[in-house]
Amino acid sequence: MIKDNLGRKSISILIAIVFVVVQPGSAFARFTAVTGKTAVQINNAAAPTALTPGVSNALQLSVPAASLSLNTSLPILSAPIFAAPKTVNAASAQERRVTTNAKAAPASTGLRFVTDGGNTVGRAAPLPINTNAAVPESVEPASAENTRSPLARLGLALQQRSFTPLFDGSRSARQGRGMGMREAEPEDAGIPLDEQPRQPGETEVARVSWKRVSVPGARASGLRNLFRSRSDDVTQLSGAPQTAAAVESELRRLIDADPARFGGVPSSTLETTISKRIQGRAGLADIVDVEFRQTYHGAVVEGTFLHFTVRIGAAQSNVISETAQLYPNLTVNTDSTLDDAQALESAFERLGRPTGSYNDLQPVGRKVMHIGGHWRYVSVHYSDSKALLAAVDLNTGDAFAWDPKVHAESRGKLIGRGVHFDPPATGTNIVDLAMPHAEVKTSDGRTLFTDADGWFTLEGDQPVTITATLKGKYATIKDQGTATLTITATVTPGKPIRLVFNPEGFDENTVAQVNAYRHANVVHDWLARNQIEDEIKRSIPIKTNINRDCNAFYTPWSPSLNFFKSSGRCINTAFDTVVYHEYGHFVDDMIGGIANSALSEGWGDIIGMYITGQPVLGEGFLKDRTPNYIRHGENKYQFQSRDEVHKQGQAWMGFGWKLRKALIAKLGDVEGTAVAEALVVPVLFANVRSIPAAIEAVVMRAIGDNGQIEHFEEIRAAAAAHGIVVERPVDGSVGALARQRGFIPWLSTFVGERRI
Ligand SMILES: [Zn+2]
């Protein structure tokens, strides 16, 4: 897999070199050539990736001085990497594929076909029509006072939903009666539902939408400019109409006079849904609100609106706000092939025909709705007994069902008691930590995920049992000490809930699990904010409380993070910066493979220091020792490409820390931090093969519009602190920009130390 990635990279390098040929003379082109030349020297390393406590490393640190007193009785505790054979990869891929297939069951497709005798059938076959079915005996308009009808209740329920105007049954409601249908199956339980129709996304369907706000009398600057978009001027209605009807009429005239400005939908196809004058009070002006919705061949198009708010003054009436969402290019066949009886039959098939009820389904009307990725001309029916809606595509016979009720919501928060930053100190620094992106399952078969702050929302009218474990979108704890933590609780609708892993006391095992889950998500979200998201979109297994001590490791062939228990020598290793370090190997691996082991060590450390804003990696890791940490951003290690990888890694992490510090001193905390992240983090994608090459990639990233290098002095000084010389590139520079003193390191990486 790594080889594949390298192969692709070589291809892109070739492309870069071609670019040089066609654009000679530019400084840019020359630099690219240099990078290409360097990277061709591929050091293909399956990386040793254990976090090694800094016993021998610390001896290399000249800061702080006390480190020299560290005794070296501990072995170099590099955990063996589980270099599983590649067949493991294949097996897990197969497993994933099986899982995917299982999930692709028809119920989740959102598009449902009418079933025939239990078999799903497409709609090419003629609609199965019950020949005994009679058409409705009479169809009457709903009386205004019939507010207790299912439709009125439905309308009420729907008022809070975004598509309310489209399902508002009050205008076209009709009641079906006595269908004369044969009684069929008993009332079914558990009808699988389709997703509620939603507004199609902008990329799915050509849509015209806008919001314009105009403030009459505002100066051309300031407020008015702030709101100006497509509209240049306040629209003043001619004749200063005062009544709602007059305003509406004038708006229709304006729309027809300039259709393009109003979405290209002629006013003859706009149905009025709101037309209301509201009295100004407390010295405010009167306003008129007018709203239209789009119709297509007489059928209302779901989700459309064109809304105006008009300020009524004595001498003038001005449009102060317009909002719209229209589909001018919509086409759908409305010469339906199904008649009402056939549509009704199809709806019955979809929802089931209740025993002893002949008029369960109430027609809501014909609409144009966007369902299952298509505009459809549908007949909508409401089931009184089941309180469900069904929409039947009048062209294809496909039937869709969903639950229109406005449910009670319960909001809950998933929390774990663990350690925010710093190493665990028994019983003193345990705090509530949100558990983000975590899976919450309900007893009725739903799966929810908490948001980035640990919140989840549960809809439903009935109490439900929920279960959460330390498993989520981006991390899955697999505890090796006891068992992975799980919480089960009953949620009552409308009552907020708080679920806490590890609710009391201090227990190493549980704190380690919470810490590992929490901090894997913290580093995931931090990387996502730095534009690394798709690459790490998987729930990485994390083994906690492994029965060993003084280390942690990442497994490149089958990605997982692994943390050890405490001992007399070391604390439990599942805590902030150690988790970030191991996750750093993971992200490095996911972007073109771990191309250089030393660099990979540095990556995890940089990520750890950047997230926590402090230079100590693995603080408190070693018990009763001074220093008690693993590595430090202020180290003075001088880069030698033949050194052991963790030792070398100190050059990259030290460079990263010193550059960030210098940029903060120059630009302030916020901007300095942002510039450091912007310069350093994307170097992951350069996938370079040595630490000097990574520093060179930072220089390349800092090239300004006219070829100068931004923040060159800060970059140069941070590199020089570790014995790496960075030359300021000039037009026509050819050759490595950063090198170990007197030495071009990529030549040496072939003989670099390798450990397993
Ligand atoms: Zn490591």
Side-chain angles (χ1 to χ4, degrees):
M1 189 167 137
I2 284 180
K3 273 189 178 159
D4 288 352
N5 283 328
L6 292 173
R8 274 202 296 282
K9 196 161 305 299
S10 299
I11 289 166
S12 64
I13 288 160
L14 286 176
I15 291 166
I17 292 167
V18 170
F19 175 73
V20 176
V21 174
V22 297
Q23 299 221 359
S26 84
F28 263 101
R30 299 296 175 93
F31 296 163
T32 310
V34 170
T35 310
K37 183 183 165 193
T38 305
V40 168
Q41 312 298 323
I42 292 166
N43 172 26
N44 177 0
T49 50
L51 173 74
T52 303
V55 185
S56 63
N57 297 342
L59 284 175
Q60 303 300 325
L61 293 172
S62 45
V63 168
S67 66
L68 293 172
S69 67
L70 191 74
N71 85 49
T72 56
S73 60
L74 286 171
I76 295 178
L77 294 158
S78 61
I81 300 306
F82 294 168
K86 293 202 171 185
T87 48
V88 169
N89 257 355
S92 63
Q94 203 166 33
E95 213 172 270
R96 278 198 295 279
R97 198 162 55 243
V98 169
T99 310
T100 309
N101 283 343
K103 279 184 182 162
S108 65
T109 59
L111 201 152
R112 184 165 306 286
F113 294 99
V114 175
T115 57
D116 181 15
N119 297 317
T120 301
V121 295
R123 260 299 154 195
L127 187 73
I129 295 170
N130 181 345
T131 49
N132 292 329
V135 291
E137 288 166 11
S138 68
V139 176
E140 298 169 353
S143 59
E145 65 273 17
N146 188 13
T147 53
R148 283 179 206 157
S149 75
L151 286 173
R153 294 205 303 276
L154 171 63
L156 200 65
L158 289 170
Q159 268 172 19
Q160 292 170 58
R161 310 297 292 205
S162 59
F163 52 83
T164 299
L166 303 147
F167 289 100
D168 178 358
S170 61
R171 285 168 184 273
S172 58
R174 296 177 299 169
Q175 279 188 305
R177 301 189 307 181
M179 304 309 292
M181 297 291 182
R182 204 177 42 186
E183 288 182 17
E185 313 89 310
E187 187 156 345
D188 60 290
I191 297 162
L193 298 179
D194 300 297
E195 263 183 57
Q196 291 207 3
R198 302 265 176 219
Q199 287 310 302
E202 214 149 352
T203 52
E204 289 177 77
V205 169
R207 167 170 77 182
V208 179
S209 59
W210 69 86
K211 180 173 175 59
R212 300 171 186 147
V213 178
S214 312
V215 181
R219 292 181 181 278
S221 60
L223 187 62
R224 183 154 158 225
N225 269 355
L226 195 66
F227 289 117
R228 252 156 63 158
S229 53
R230 288 171 44 179
S231 170
D232 290 322
D233 299 301
V234 173
T235 303
Q236 190 176 325
L237 299 183
S238 70
Q242 300 286 308
T243 66
V247 167
E248 182 191 329
S249 165
E250 177 59 13
L251 288 170
R252 284 183 177 276
R253 194 191 64 74
L254 279 176
I255 291 165
D256 289 332
D258 188 2
R261 185 177 181 278
F262 295 98
V265 176
S267 81
S268 59
T269 65
L270 292 172
E271 185 178 295
T272 305
T273 50
I274 295 170
S275 182
K276 170 86 175 176
R277 176 168 170 150
I278 302 119
Q279 248 182 20
R281 290 189 178 152
L284 300 175
D286 288 5
I287 55 168
V288 169
D289 274 296
V290 175
E291 183 165 302
F292 305 109
R293 62 185 173 188
Q294 188 181 348
T295 63
Y296 183 84
H297 297 181
V300 168
V301 180
E302 176 204 4
T304 55
F305 58 87
L306 174 52
H307 190 112
F308 297 90
T309 301
V310 178
R311 183 183 189 278
I312 307 298
Q316 49 178 256
S317 301
N318 296 313
V319 175
I320 55 173
S321 160
E322 292 171 40
T323 50
Q325 177 159 284
L326 300 167
Y327 301 96
N329 303 320
L330 167 73
T331 55
V332 62
N333 178 19
T334 54
D335 299 328
S336 61
T337 51
L338 270 63
D339 62 22
D340 286 347
Q342 289 170 318
L344 193 63
E345 178 61 18
S346 203
F348 266 129
E349 288 186 19
R350 180 68 183 83
L351 292 176
R353 194 178 284 103
T355 307
S357 172
Y358 295 104
N359 58 353
D360 182 56
L361 285 182
Q362 313 292 330
V364 175
R366 293 186 166 201
K367 313 272 181 192
V368 173
M369 301 174 83
H370 198 265
I371 310 177
H374 302 282
W375 286 114
R376 296 170 188 271
Y377 181 49
V378 295
S379 168
V380 183
H381 305 261
Y382 177 70
S383 165
D384 194 25
S385 67
K386 300 183 180 71
L388 296 176
L389 273 181
V392 177
D393 187 320
L394 292 165
N395 290 300
T396 65
D398 292 342
F400 305 85
W402 65 91
D403 182 353
K405 288 190 292 296
V406 177
H407 289 292
E409 271 187 5
S410 299
R411 204 155 144 70
K413 187 160 189 181
L414 196 59
I415 292 164
R417 289 176 66 256
V419 183
H420 175 50
F421 286 140
D422 304 325
T426 306
T428 59
N429 57 348
I430 307 290
V431 294
D432 285 355
L433 301 173
M435 297 285 106
H437 314 301
E439 196 177 274
V440 176
K441 286 184 175 287
T442 67
S443 50
D444 56 5
R446 287 175 284 164
T447 300
L448 317 165
F449 287 93
T450 60
D451 65 15
D453 299 316
W455 289 97
F456 63 92
T457 302
L458 194 63
E459 292 192 344
D461 302 325
Q462 302 298 321
V464 66
T465 302
I466 61 174
T467 304
T469 184
L470 287 174
K471 175 187 173 189
K473 290 180 183 170
Y474 308 119
T476 300
I477 300 295
K478 298 187 169 187
D479 189 61
Q480 307 294 298
T482 52
T484 304
L485 301 177
T486 300
I487 307 179
T488 299
T490 300
V491 178
T492 308
K495 278 178 97 176
I497 187 163
R498 200 177 125 96
L499 298 176
V500 187
F501 290 105
N502 183 28
E504 56 191 27
F506 174 90
D507 172 69
E508 180 190 333
N509 177 287
T510 52
V511 170
Q513 293 191 42
V514 166
N515 281 357
Y517 184 84
R518 164 71 186 182
H519 291 296
N521 280 280
V522 166
V523 59
H524 169 275
D525 289 1
W526 184 86
L527 287 164
R529 288 194 295 277
N530 278 286
Q531 306 176 63
I532 301 173
E533 197 163 9
D534 290 344
E535 296 78 6
I536 51 175
K537 199 172 268 181
R538 70 162 79 187
S539 188
I540 187 165
I542 303 177
K543 293 183 181 172
T544 48
N545 298 301
I546 293 172
N547 194 20
R548 292 161 64 189
D549 72 345
C550 295
N551 218 332
F553 62 92
Y554 165 73
T555 53
W557 300 110
S558 173
S560 73
L561 310 183
N562 302 267
F563 302 96
F564 293 177
K565 290 207 296 202
S566 72
S567 70
R569 305 184 300 168
C570 300
I571 63 170
N572 190 300
T573 63
F575 65 99
D576 57 357
T577 49
V578 182
V579 177
Y580 306 151
H581 175 89
E582 298 306 335
Y583 202 95
H585 287 305
F586 167 58
V587 63
D588 186 20
D589 193 16
M590 293 301 103
I591 301 174
I594 295 175
N596 177 273
S597 307
L599 197 53
S600 200
E601 296 305 334
W603 270 125
D605 293 353
I606 285 181
I607 290 168
M609 294 185 299
Y610 278 24
I611 290 176
T612 56
Q614 56 79 49
V616 183
L617 205 288
E619 183 187 5
F621 191 101
L622 302 165
K623 283 183 177 173
D624 304 323
R625 292 186 191 276
T626 305
N628 61 5
Y629 55 75
I630 301 196
R631 280 182 290 278
H632 201 296
E634 296 289 2
N635 78 79
K636 290 184 176 161
Y637 166 73
Q638 297 296 296
F639 177 72
Q640 294 288 334
S641 58
R642 292 167 191 255
D643 281 343
E644 189 274 337
V645 292
H646 295 85
K647 199 189 285 183
Q648 275 191 57
Q650 294 177 103
W652 181 227
M653 65 94 83
F655 166 84
W657 177 253
K658 292 172 185 79
L659 176 59
R660 182 181 183 274
K661 196 168 82 168
L663 289 168
I664 287 173
K666 179 181 178 182
L667 305 167
D669 208 25
V670 173
E671 200 186 339
T673 302
V675 172
E677 291 178 9
L679 283 175
V680 173
V681 179
V683 172
L684 276 163
F685 291 95
N687 210 34
V688 293
R689 271 114 184 123
S690 76
I691 288 168
I695 292 170
E696 185 177 274
V698 172
V699 176
M700 306 298 284
R701 290 202 60 74
I703 297 175
D705 282 344
N706 45 16
Q708 85 282 13
I709 308 297
E710 310 281 356
H711 315 298
F712 181 78
E713 263 319 301
E714 288 77 13
I715 296 169
R716 191 202 56 75
H722 296 282
I724 293 168
V725 178
V726 181
E727 290 168 8
R728 185 188 289 274
V730 293
D731 190 20
S733 299
V734 175
L737 298 177
R739 67 190 77 198
Q740 186 180 339
R741 282 183 212 288
F743 203 69
I744 298 175
W746 52 258
L747 293 175
S748 73
T749 48
F750 290 105
V751 294
E753 189 172 335
R754 195 82 82 250
R755 296 179 316 148
I756 296 177

